[in-house]
Amino acid sequence: KAKHLQFCAGVTPEVYWLSAFAWDMTNFLLPIVSSIIVFYAFNQKAYTESMGAIIVFLMAYGMASAPLFYPFTFVFSVPSTAYATLLCGNLFIAVTSSYAVFTLERFPDDPVLSNYTKILDSIFLLFPPYCLGKGFVDITHRHSVNLVYEAS
């Protein structure tokens, strides 16, 4: 209803969607700040030592995932149902795709599995939740490797 009222008032579709995107990005700052607080509260060195990259990484995730939600709101009659469904879908994609690639990466000596891993990784990179999960796994892995090299 709000969108219809804005269009009746003369707001162009470009301005409407741009303002909706700006509002969503502003609202996405709360989870980013909350994540930063959690990282520092639990003293997660892997993330606190590269906080600038983490902030850019989380902002990029928000900018990539928010526009994917907009077209799906037209599929549902109630927007909140669309967002809840998409949230569950994103969670499912993030967990299953990250876990599948992570598990397959444990078998680097098998050429068939290595090939499947590369293919799946390339396909899953189209999904922002997978990129977010993979990014955090990569940051943690690099931090662990750095700790091993510093200790030796």
Side-chain angles (χ1 to χ4, degrees), residues 91-128:
L91 184 61
F92 178 76
I93 288 170
V95 171
T96 56
S97 60
S98 298
Y99 185 72
V101 171
F102 180 78
T103 303
L104 288 172
E105 286 176 341
R106 303 294 84 45
F107 304 100
D109 298 332
D110 188 335
V112 174
L113 289 180
S114 291
N115 190 36
Y116 284 137
T117 304
K118 290 177 187 173
I119 292 169
L120 286 175
D121 186 51
S122 297
I123 292 169
F124 291 151
L125 284 174
L126 297 172
F127 300 103

Side-chain angles (χ1 to χ4, degrees), residues 17-96:
W17 288 112
L18 185 62
S19 64
F21 182 74
W23 177 249
D24 287 344
M25 289 300 96
T26 303
N27 284 328
F28 195 68
L29 290 175
L30 179 64
I32 290 174
V33 170
S34 300
S35 298
I36 293 168
I37 291 169
V38 168
F39 292 149
Y40 279 108
F42 289 97
N43 198 24
Q44 293 297 310
K45 297 276 188 210
Y47 305 122
T48 57
E49 291 176 356
S50 56
M51 189 50 67
I54 294 291
I55 292 170
V56 170
F57 184 59
L58 289 171
M59 286 299 295
Y61 170 73
M63 293 175 71
S65 63
L68 292 178
F69 281 26
Y70 298 147
F72 287 102
T73 58
F74 298 114
V75 176
F76 297 88
S77 59
V78 180
S80 60
T81 304
Y83 287 116
T85 304
L86 289 170
L87 179 65
C88 291
N90 275 341
L91 184 61
F92 178 76
I93 288 170
V95 171
T96 56

